[in-house]
Amino acid sequence: MTYWMLKGREFANCNCEYGCNCQFGGLPDKGFCQAAFGFAIDEGRHGNTDLSGLNIAAVFQWPGPIHEGNGECAAFVDERASPAQREALLTIMTGGDTAPMATVFAVFASTVTTMHEPSFVPVDFEVDVEGRKGRLRIPGHLEMDGEPIRSPVDGSEIRAQIHLPDGFEYEVAEVGSGASRAIAPMQLSHQASYGQFAHLHLDSHGVVRG
C-alpha cells in the first residue's frame, strides 16, 4: 500500500436540511441523498507524487440512505494534474491505498455501484472555512455556492459547528447554507440546504488527529 496524505479545505453541499442527519448516524430527511463536493489540496502526496495545489470535486446520488448503497458518482480532477497526479488522485478518491473504511473516500466508494468515467477539467474552486463561504465552477458540469446561514428574523449570520472526534472525514465542520446544480454526466439541483465547510487532514490510515 502506497502511503498518501492530503491536507486542505472542503466545501460540500447535500439536499438535507441544515445539520444533516447523516452526520449523527441518522437517515436522510428527504429519504434519499444527493450531494456535491469540492476539495482544495493545500498539501498532499501519494508516494513520491506531489499533489499540492490541485483541486478535486465530485457529485453523488443515492436512492436511499448512503449505507444501503446503489450510489452513483462522477469525479472531477483538476486538468492541471499530470498523468501521475491524476492516477494518484483517482486512486485516493476511489478508496485505494487506504485502510478498510478509514476515510470518507473509502466509505463512499464502497456504496457506489455506478461510477462514471472521470473528467479532467478546469476545477475553479474557492473556499473560506471559517467564513462559511465557497464557490465551485466546472463549466458544463457542476456549480456549487456556499454562504453562512442567516437568521430569518434579522438576516444576521448564524454560526454552528459539528464536532466528531471519531469521524472519518473531519473533526470539526462549520455548518452553512449551500446550493448546487449538476448538469453532466449527472443531474441534480437543490438550494438553501446543508453546507459543510471543514479543514481536512487525511492519510492512508484515516483522519490525522491533532
Side-chain angles (χ1 to χ4, degrees), residues 59 76 138-143 180-189:
V59 176
F76 304 95
I138 304 176
H141 296 281
L142 174 64
E143 298 178 354
S180 298
R181 184 172 71 96
I183 304 166
M186 295 169 56
Q187 296 79 46
L188 64 78
S189 179

Side-chain angles (χ1 to χ4, degrees), residues 141-195:
H141 296 281
L142 174 64
E143 298 178 354
M144 180 171 60
D145 293 282
E147 63 180 7
I149 298 170
R150 296 189 178 276
S151 167
V153 177
D154 60 9
S156 61
E157 294 184 4
I158 296 174
R159 187 174 188 181
Q161 295 179 329
I162 298 175
H163 181 206
L164 299 179
D166 299 317
F168 54 70
E169 184 175 5
Y170 60 82
E171 287 189 288
V172 177
E174 298 279 351
V175 180
S177 178
S180 298
R181 184 172 71 96
I183 304 166
M186 295 169 56
Q187 296 79 46
L188 64 78
S189 179
H190 50 257
Q191 58 185 347
S193 58
Y194 176 72

Side-chain angles (χ1 to χ4, degrees), residues 74-210:
F76 304 95
V77 175
D78 201 320
E79 67 173 0
R80 297 174 298 162
S82 68
Q85 291 172 320
R86 294 179 182 189
E87 181 179 357
L89 287 169
L90 288 174
T91 296
I92 294 169
M93 293 172 75
T94 55
D97 288 335
T98 301
M101 302 299 177
T103 69
V104 63
F105 298 120
V107 171
F108 279 13
S110 73
T111 69
V112 170
T113 54
T114 301
M115 179 69 75
H116 294 274
E117 287 294 318
S119 299
F120 303 103
V121 289
V123 181
D124 181 8
F125 182 53
E126 302 173 359
V127 57
D128 174 359
V129 173
E130 284 72 24
R132 290 96 70 211
K133 296 179 181 179
R135 182 182 185 276
L136 173 67
R137 293 292 184 273
I138 304 176
H141 296 281
L142 174 64
E143 298 178 354
M144 180 171 60
D145 293 282
E147 63 180 7
I149 298 170
R150 296 189 178 276
S151 167
V153 177
D154 60 9
S156 61
E157 294 184 4
I158 296 174
R159 187 174 188 181
Q161 295 179 329
I162 298 175
H163 181 206
L164 299 179
D166 299 317
F168 54 70
E169 184 175 5
Y170 60 82
E171 287 189 288
V172 177
E174 298 279 351
V175 180
S177 178
S180 298
R181 184 172 71 96
I183 304 166
M186 295 169 56
Q187 296 79 46
L188 64 78
S189 179
H190 50 257
Q191 58 185 347
S193 58
Y194 176 72
Q196 174 180 297
F197 304 82
H199 293 282
L200 302 189
H201 191 182
L202 306 169
D203 71 5
S204 294
H205 309 291
V207 175
V208 179
R209 306 189 189 278

